Amino acid sequence: MNKDPNVQPRPRPQPPEKPLPGDCCDSGCVDCIFDQYSDALRAYERAVAAWELEQGGGER
């Protein structure tokens, strides 16, 4: 696959910031900060997998 040398590769996705234990209010929220973090972590993992494919499938 020919890549344009003038095109900069996308930077590797960065993981979401993990909430601290005290960030949760412990009130049983439907959309708890830890639930939001879990969703963001899954999205990050998918983004990294896509990024790795763009970079050549992990071949180094």
Side-chain angles (χ1 to χ4, degrees):
M1 174 197 311
N2 291 333
K3 292 192 175 197
D4 185 343
N6 297 318
V7 175
Q8 296 294 319
R10 275 192 319 129
R12 181 182 177 92
Q14 295 299 303
E17 187 173 331
K18 186 175 183 176
L20 299 172
D23 290 342
C24 177
C25 65
D26 289 322
S27 67
C29 299
V30 172
D31 195 21
C32 176
I33 192 165
F34 289 109
D35 295 335
Q36 293 174 18
Y37 173 70
S38 292
D39 292 344
L41 192 57
R42 282 191 296 275
Y44 161 72
E45 291 167 349
R46 288 189 302 270
V48 167
W51 179 86
E52 288 175 344
L53 284 174
E54 288 175 5
Q55 304 309 308
E59 297 174 17
R60 306 262 184 254

